[in-house]
Amino acid sequence: MLDMQDISRVYRTDLVETHALRGLNLSVDAGEFVAVTGPSGSGKTTFLNIAGLLESATDGRYLLDGVDVNTLNDNQRSRIRNEKIGFIFQSFNLIPDLNIFDNVDVPLRYRGFGGKERRQRIEKALEQVGLAARMKHLPSQLSGGQQQRAAIARALAGNPGFLLADEPTGNLDSLMARQVMDLLEEINANGTTIVMVTHDPELARRAHRNVQLLDGQLASPDLFARPAAADDVDLQPVA
Amino acid sequence: MELRPILSAMWRNRTGSVLVAMQIALTLAIVVNCMFMTKERVDFVNRPSGMDIENIVVADSVGFGSDYEHDRTIDEDLRLLRELPGVIAVSPTRSIPMSGSGSANGFAGSRDDDAPRHTANYYFVNEDILDALGVKLESGRAFRDTEVRRADDPDLDRLSPQVIITRALADKLFDGEPAVGRLMYDGLGESSEVVGVIEHMFGAWVSWSDFDQVAMFPRRTGGTQTRYLIRAEPGRRDALVPLVETTLSEANRTRLVRNVRTMEEVVSNSYEGDRAIATTLSVAVVLLLSVTGLGIVGLASFTVRQRTKQIGTRRAIGARKRDIIRYFLLENWLMTTIGIVIGTALTIGINYGLASAFEVEQLDYVFLVIGMFLLWLLGFLAVVAPARRAAKVSPAIATRTV
């Protein structure tokens, strides 16, 4: 599903060069739930941006579903983001002036679906996250957990094969965080690949695999590992 | 089309949009009415005068010496002026048409006391007046030189037996019937026979409603003052101006020659106020459009800055650059259109008010269409740069927490 080989990302200004990623190698198989952890400045967000085609690597090769993304132009990258990737952001990133229905509708409009199909997809996605009754609410009328679930519905509505979550519970209290994680696990159990960036080791433990980044490099490829879809197996640190 | 969500978002965040829509509405109302009034002024200034204004030179002569002889001076001046190169015709006159200065009197088409009287500008001219003004004789004939009363004529102050009038005056006096051969009466009951009717010419006052009611009598002006209308061949007018001044000045030292100028200058002075109004209105239109354009640019730029994260999110979840540009163009088009709809009602209302209060003509709706198109174009152009800036927002902004 996701194959990164020797990925580097350098941010340059007139005065300094910052190496956010240094020769990162990472593969994620279809159906996996991978947590990416690391301290601040370790390159987690840069990794997520590159994985989600939000920015390009300075060097290296990135294959997404077998497609070398370095060869794609801006429009093609937009299309892949729209069709193959679902994004879940730490601060939800819902559009405050649109109700939940219209928020979920945004990527579907870019996809070019007709009105009827969009409505069906939106209703299904909102039902899946338990917000069918709140579709006419504005984001400001929902709790943080509900907003994140609405954002997940937006990510799911296009049926992406790959979900990228950036600190999905970072702005939530523990109860809501648990609910969102339950939902992500459910989505993953239905076959969607999830890569989740988090600094929370408790959340990372709920993933199948945890990779840790340190100074833009993979510190430990499999800090916690468990077989996919084996929810009842105790998590053990990998030496 | 994503009109509904855009409208919905605009409604929830309406202060800026409403202000700009109102600005557009007011701009449309003011711009359309200003354009219409400007066009009215321009049409007013450009009304056909019926005269060959571009080729006429005018000059004033004022006798002052004790040995000044009026008739002899005029005889000599006419002879000298006619001999100047490029001169087609010369006529003495008491006043210059379209100069803002002249005389008028009431005339009737019959001797009856209750016959309606019509005011007309009148001029004292000679037999060459039709050629000197370049006016077109519609029926009848020009004056004969024998019909022109000299200044020393004892009957000078009585109404001349012959008169040439404009078609507009003839229609008023004789209800559209043929005028040549008919008698025209002044307030004292004296009459003149209409010997000719000219198609059209202006009287003294360009803003007068009866500006084209003109009568010309074959006689000289008494006293010591006279003016000359000198018509030149095309292209020779400007050379004639200094020549007229030196020729007349050197020919007779008992009078003063002054104000030798082109008739174009005379007419231009008369329309100075109208041109000033047209210019002021045009400048106001340009300024107002500029301010409105800047207002749209300002709001769009502010909106783009305010929504940077939202734009990044849209890009992250699949919007192409052109989708972002289209979003802002569409949003602005909606705002402009709402402003235009309100502005259309306002435009018609203002015109109605102006028409009632100041006798402004009813709006020609072509100007409304032009105004709408201008504002749509302005709205589009004003938002292009901010929309392009928005499209450059990186999708990676979506993952930034600040």
Side-chain angles (χ1 to χ4, degrees):
Chain A
M1 163 65 71
L2 179 154
D3 185 16
M4 287 184 171
Q5 295 164 19
D6 212 18
I7 293 290
S8 297
R9 181 67 169 105
V10 183
Y11 295 103
R12 291 188 176 91
T13 68
D14 290 343
L15 298 175
V16 289
E17 267 191 3
T18 306
H19 292 262
L21 291 179
R22 301 163 188 263
L24 178 72
N25 290 295
L26 180 68
S27 288
V28 175
D29 292 331
E32 265 196 298
F33 188 165
V34 176
V36 178
T37 59
S40 267
S42 59
K44 295 193 301 290
T45 302
T46 305
F47 159 75
L48 183 109
N49 286 346
I50 291 172
L53 311 191
L54 302 180
E55 59 181 294
S56 300
T58 312
D59 214 350
R61 190 161 185 241
Y62 171 25
L63 301 177
L64 180 64
D65 258 356
V67 176
D68 185 349
V69 300
N70 291 338
T71 62
L72 303 177
N73 64 27
D74 192 75
N75 280 349
Q76 289 167 324
R77 292 168 74 90
S78 293
R79 186 167 176 176
I80 287 188
R81 284 197 300 268
N82 183 254
E83 293 180 2
K84 293 193 171 177
I85 307 174
F87 287 92
I88 303 167
F89 303 101
Q90 179 177 356
S91 39
F92 326 133
N93 291 21
L94 294 170
I95 295 168
D97 301 322
L98 299 180
N99 63 29
I100 297 307
F101 182 96
D102 288 335
N103 262 289
V104 178
D105 194 21
V106 171
L108 303 180
R109 283 181 182 272
Y110 294 138
R111 187 101 163 243
F113 288 136
K116 193 176 170 190
E117 178 161 8
R118 291 204 320 268
R119 172 164 284 279
Q120 283 170 352
R121 281 173 177 262
I122 294 164
E123 286 171 356
K124 186 179 165 197
L126 286 173
E127 226 162 80
Q128 196 177 346
V129 301
L131 286 177
R134 307 282 177 123
M135 61 172 68
K136 294 297 171 192
H137 286 60
L138 287 172
S140 59
Q141 294 168 316
L142 301 180
S143 69
Q146 287 172 324
Q147 288 187 49
Q148 191 58 297
R149 280 194 278 149
I152 292 171
R154 180 178 66 189
L156 291 178
N159 276 339
F162 177 32
L163 216 56
L164 268 175
D166 177 21
E167 302 276 11
T169 61
N171 284 358
L172 304 177
D173 62 32
S174 56
L175 178 64
M176 288 181 177
R178 204 159 45 241
Q179 289 175 349
V180 166
M181 276 309 294
D182 290 347
L183 185 58
L184 288 179
E185 281 179 338
E186 186 186 318
I187 292 163
N188 175 243
N190 288 333
T192 305
T193 310
I194 298 179
V195 172
M196 175 179 70
V197 167
T198 181
H199 66 276
D200 184 343
E202 289 301 315
L203 293 181
R205 279 197 186 90
R206 295 180 66 168
H208 302 151
R209 188 154 60 103
N210 181 0
V211 293
Q212 191 177 34
L213 290 180
L214 194 63
D215 294 333
Q217 291 175 311
L218 218 53
S220 165
D222 289 299
L223 190 61
F224 299 98
R226 64 177 186 174
D231 296 344
D232 53 348
V233 175
D234 287 337
L235 297 174
Q236 295 295 328
V238 175
Chain B
M1 293 286 272
E2 43 194 339
L3 292 179
R4 192 189 52 77
I6 291 177
L7 272 173
S8 164
M10 278 171 69
W11 177 249
R12 292 203 174 94
N13 197 4
R14 56 187 171 272
T15 310
S17 305
V18 166
L19 285 175
V20 170
M22 286 313 297
Q23 188 181 2
I24 289 167
L26 279 172
T27 302
L28 179 70
I30 296 170
V31 162
V32 168
N33 279 291
C34 281
M35 284 196 307
F36 179 59
M37 285 192 279
T38 303
K39 171 73 167 41
E40 271 196 323
R41 287 297 101 189
V42 170
D43 286 348
F44 181 77
V45 169
N46 291 334
R47 288 172 301 174
S49 70
M51 297 174 278
D52 186 16
I53 288 170
E54 296 78 27
N55 294 308
I56 296 172
V57 175
V58 299
D60 296 355
S61 166
V62 184
F64 60 85
S66 56
D67 52 349
Y68 173 76
E69 292 177 48
H70 195 52
D71 272 326
R72 195 183 63 76
T73 302
I74 293 173
D75 288 340
E76 182 65 3
D77 287 350
L78 288 174
R79 186 184 65 77
L80 290 169
L81 289 171
R82 282 170 182 146
E83 284 173 0
L84 289 177
V87 169
I88 293 175
V90 185
S91 173
T93 180
R94 190 160 83 166
S95 54
I96 310 294
M98 300 179 79
S99 66
S101 168
S103 305
N105 200 355
F107 297 99
S110 84
R111 194 188 287 275
D112 298 343
D113 286 343
D114 52 356
R117 308 199 75 75
H118 302 283
T119 310
N121 267 146
Y122 61 86
Y123 293 93
F124 300 155
V125 298
N126 74 358
E127 69 278 11
D128 290 329
I129 187 61
L130 301 185
D131 286 339
L133 286 175
V135 292
K136 189 175 171 191
L137 185 68
E138 193 182 272
S139 57
R141 61 171 175 82
F143 295 128
R144 299 183 181 114
D145 55 353
T146 51
E147 292 168 344
V148 180
R149 283 182 175 162
R150 296 173 63 84
D152 57 6
D153 190 317
D155 288 331
L156 184 67
D157 289 335
R158 299 193 61 194
L159 197 63
S160 303
Q162 301 84 21
V163 66
I164 291 176
I165 60 176
T166 54
R167 160 61 45 208
L169 181 60
D171 285 344
K172 288 272 180 68
L173 291 173
F174 307 114
D175 295 329
E177 292 174 12
V180 175
R182 303 282 296 269
L183 294 178
M184 181 181 94
Y185 298 87
D186 67 9
L188 301 172
E190 290 193 53
S191 66
S192 298
E193 182 192 344
V194 178
V195 297
V197 174
I198 56 175
E199 196 175 74
H200 170 68
M201 75 171 271
F202 267 63
W205 308 291
V206 292
S207 300
W208 187 33
S209 58
D210 296 327
F211 63 88
D212 55 353
Q213 291 180 190
V214 178
M216 293 190 287
F217 297 102
R219 54 161 286 191
R220 287 181 179 174
T221 310
T224 58
Q225 291 190 27
T226 194
R227 291 190 166 94
Y228 294 107
L229 292 162
I230 307 143
R231 182 162 164 236
E233 291 166 359
R236 306 190 72 166
R237 180 198 67 181
D238 292 343
L240 210 54
V241 173
L243 213 52
V244 167
E245 181 146 22
T246 51
T247 304
L248 294 184
S249 298
E250 286 168 8
N252 187 337
R253 303 286 184 186
T254 63
R255 58 88 185 274
L256 186 67
V257 176
R258 60 180 190 181
N259 294 336
V260 181
R261 60 212 185 275
T262 65
M263 191 153 169
E264 245 177 8
E265 291 171 67
V266 173
V267 174
S268 174
N269 286 341
S270 293
Y271 283 126
E272 205 167 273
D274 298 290
R275 275 204 312 278
I277 289 171
T279 307
T280 307
L281 290 174
S282 303
V283 170
V285 164
V286 171
L287 287 178
L288 200 55
L289 286 173
S290 307
V291 168
T292 303
L294 290 174
I296 297 171
V297 171
L299 180 70
S301 300
F302 173 72
T303 309
V304 167
R305 261 201 311 280
Q306 198 187 30
R307 294 190 201 159
T308 303
K309 181 127 190 187
Q310 187 187 123
I311 296 163
T313 302
R314 284 179 181 271
R315 291 278 285 135
I317 61 179
R320 294 160 298 181
K321 287 181 174 176
R322 66 166 174 264
D323 292 321
I324 299 295
I325 291 175
R326 196 181 63 162
Y327 179 90
F328 280 95
L329 291 181
L330 203 54
E331 183 181 63
N332 192 67
W333 178 81
L334 278 170
M335 191 172 64
T336 309
T337 302
I338 292 168
I340 285 173
V341 169
I342 299 168
T344 300
L346 210 56
T347 305
I348 294 167
I350 287 178
N351 178 253
Y352 181 78
L354 287 173
S356 308
F358 303 110
E359 292 181 358
V360 172
E361 281 192 30
Q362 200 193 353
L363 182 67
D364 180 346
Y365 288 107
V366 168
F367 287 92
L368 188 56
V369 174
I370 293 171
M372 290 161 106
F373 175 75
L374 265 180
L375 278 164
W376 263 315
L377 186 68
L378 181 74
F380 172 77
L381 293 177
V383 87
V384 165
R388 287 168 68 98
R389 265 202 307 279
K392 284 180 184 163
V393 170
S394 164
I397 290 286
T399 56
R400 288 194 195 153
T401 46
V402 183

